[in-house]
Amino acid sequence: GPSGCGKTTVLRCLAGLERPEQGSIQFGGRTWFDAGPGICLAPQQRGVGFVFQDYALFPHLTVAGNIGYGLPANEREQRVGEMLDRFGLAAVVQQRPRQLSGGQQQRVALARALVCRPRLLLLDEPLSALDAALREELRGELRRLLAACDIPVFLVTHDRAEALALGDELVVMSGGTVRQSG
């Protein structure tokens, strides 16, 4: 859908960062939110990975530090190593975000979201921070990486070509409501 139609709000509600006024959210047979009885699981109880539109990388941390942020110390080295291999980031492991290309920053953000083994991955316009040529180049790579993750992904975009290239099922939003899905 177009900018301002509610796409990011839906992601934030799924993640538990915003609370809807009504309705319910269920995932994997579990109720995450239900306005009627007042059920609202905290974000950390939902098992969601979130990649923000601007990637939200910590500028003072290295690639390894960004990916491993929040992991238990006894698991950090092994799991970060797995993500570095999966996303082809071993050569830049000691660099900081400002030293990385847009595509590398995107891969770091994806690795950080996936290292905690989420049950659901939320992507908020993951290619919009990139220039048109790089965005086109990375669509295929992103599709391949997401398919290899083997977890459900909820991706929002206002770019139709991106939606068609990355999505299996599409939902069109306008004015805060779903207009079409399939």
Side-chain angles (χ1 to χ4, degrees):
S3 295
C5 75
K7 301 180 306 291
T8 297
T9 300
V10 169
L11 284 187
R12 293 180 59 78
C13 288
L14 287 170
L17 301 175
E18 288 189 25
R19 220 175 186 171
E21 292 178 8
Q22 59 186 3
S24 64
I25 300 171
Q26 285 117 27
F27 181 80
R30 190 170 179 202
T31 300
W32 286 357
F33 174 82
D34 194 332
I39 297 169
C40 186
L41 286 183
Q44 62 273 21
Q45 295 175 308
R46 297 181 186 209
V48 171
F50 201 135
V51 176
F52 296 89
Q53 186 172 354
D54 64 357
Y55 308 136
L57 298 176
F58 299 114
H60 65 290
L61 295 179
T62 63
V63 166
N66 267 282
I67 295 171
Y69 185 81
L71 287 176
N74 63 334
E75 298 177 26
R76 191 173 302 133
E77 186 176 340
Q78 177 192 348
R79 290 177 53 191
V80 168
E82 291 169 3
M83 291 292 119
L84 291 170
D85 290 342
R86 176 184 282 183
F87 289 95
L89 293 166
V92 295
V93 66
Q94 292 303 317
Q95 292 186 354
R96 300 216 179 333
R98 70 181 175 281
Q99 299 170 296
L100 304 174
S101 70
Q104 289 169 326
Q105 289 180 27
Q106 179 199 53
R107 290 194 297 273
V108 172
L110 280 168
R112 184 177 64 189
L114 292 169
V115 74
C116 62
R117 300 180 180 131
R119 296 175 33 204
L120 175 65
L121 179 61
L122 306 175
L123 303 177
D124 189 4
E125 305 214 29
L127 301 177
S128 68
L130 308 173
D131 65 55
L134 186 56
R135 191 168 45 242
E136 179 79 25
E137 178 185 327
L138 290 180
R139 276 187 193 133
E141 180 181 351
L142 181 57
R143 175 73 182 191
R144 180 186 56 76
L145 290 170
L146 295 177
C149 293
D150 196 34
I151 61 170
V153 177
F154 197 104
L155 179 144
V156 301
T157 182
H158 65 271
D159 185 313
R160 290 175 195 221
E162 189 174 305
L164 293 170
L166 296 172
D168 294 326
E169 295 184 36
L170 303 178
V171 173
V172 178
M173 290 184 66
S174 180
T177 61
V178 172
R179 300 293 184 186
Q180 190 175 16
S181 65

